[in-house]
């Protein structure tokens, strides 16, 4: 009897797309998702702007109040969209639940802080090299600086509810398939929504320097992939909400500290 060695398993490629089948319904769903994204973001700003402009005198000049109100209204629209989706697409999973197992909250916080550091360097490296002020938009007084940090800390309530919960949750049914790069794997719908997440920051090309606009497009897409990964791993929106808010508030908090240190 001769000994035989078991056949070696073929090595998996580092990057792989599996289970993808393009259908007309996929294209229609992508277009609908893009329109829904833009519509919800714009619609949430309308009542926020009205309340900001017609609110008490304390609101005057405090843009963070408008930003916070817009986030809350957008989050409400996202929740309403998820409710509608549960009736229209019962198989869709928006991950709108408390984590059933490991929450990944600590990892999400660490990821968010790292994101904030990366965004700070990517956005303001010319000013950091010259030693000049980074951003004069964010005040450092004891009223407005906590207001800005609070408004940015809750950004995930709106954007994760809309982008990951509603859009990824629904698109998975119409855009099947998964994308894997090494050990990192997410649904193809998550990649599509990450691209939309980058496009949602298109106004950066109008109001910001070119290097900052390009950086925002790049890391918005990358962060979108990570948020989907956190959502899948935790089976909840909690972790991506934490990471999203921690990233934004970390960057702005560091800008404020830079301003104070620069005198």
């Amino acid at each position: 009897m001769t000994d035989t060695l078991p056949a070696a398993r073929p090595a998996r490629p580092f990057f792989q797309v599996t289970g993808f089948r393009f259908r007309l319904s996929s294209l229609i769903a992508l277009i609908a998702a893009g329109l829904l994204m833009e519509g919800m973001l714009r619609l949430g700003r309308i009542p926020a702007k009205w309340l900001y402009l017609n609110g008490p005198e304390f609101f005057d000049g405090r843009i963070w109040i408008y930003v916070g109100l817009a986030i809350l209204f957008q989050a409400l629209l996202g929740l309403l969209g998820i409710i509608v989706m549960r009736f229209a697409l019962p198989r869709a999973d928006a991950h709108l639940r408390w984590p059933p197992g490991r929450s990944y909250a600590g990892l999400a916080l660490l990821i968010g802080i790292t994101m904030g550091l990366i965004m700070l360097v990517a956005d303001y490296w010319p000013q950091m090299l010259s030693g000049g002020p980074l951003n004069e938009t964010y005040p450092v007084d004891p009223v407005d600086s906590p207001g800005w940090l609070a408004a940015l800390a809750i950004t995930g309530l709106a954007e994760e509810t809309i982008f990951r919960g509603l859009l990824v949750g629904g698109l998975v049914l119409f855009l099947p398939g998964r994308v894997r790069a090494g050990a990192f794997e997410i649904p193809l719908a998550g990649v599509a929504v990450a691209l939309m997440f980058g496009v949602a920051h298109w106004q950066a090309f109008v109001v910001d320097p070119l290097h900052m606009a390009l950086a925002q497009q790049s890391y918005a897409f990358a962060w979108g992939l990570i948020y989907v990964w956190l959502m899948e791993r935790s089976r909840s929106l909690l972790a991506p909400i934490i990471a999203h808010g921690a990233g934004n508030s970390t960057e702005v908090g560091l800008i404020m500290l830079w301003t104070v240190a620069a005198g």
Side-chain angles (χ1 to χ4, degrees), residues 99-137:
R102 181 182 172 188
S103 69
Y104 285 79
L107 177 62
L109 181 61
L110 180 60
I111 288 174
I113 293 172
T114 304
M115 287 175 173
L117 291 169
I118 293 173
M119 291 189 293
L120 180 72
V121 175
D123 289 341
Y124 299 108
W125 62 267
Q127 295 93 320
M128 296 176 76
L129 290 176
S130 65
L134 301 187
N135 190 320
E136 298 178 355
T137 300

Side-chain angles (χ1 to χ4, degrees), residues 168-226:
V168 175
L171 272 179
V172 165
L173 302 181
F174 299 94
L175 192 65
R178 296 186 67 82
V179 177
R180 183 183 60 80
F184 183 85
E185 183 176 338
I186 59 174
L188 183 60
V191 178
V193 172
L195 286 170
M196 294 181 193
F197 186 55
V199 172
H201 296 78
W202 64 269
Q203 289 182 333
F205 287 101
V206 179
V207 300
D208 294 324
L210 180 60
H211 80 273
M212 184 181 292
L214 291 173
Q216 290 181 9
Q217 292 292 310
S218 301
Y219 62 62
F221 172 68
W223 298 168
L225 302 179
I226 295 173

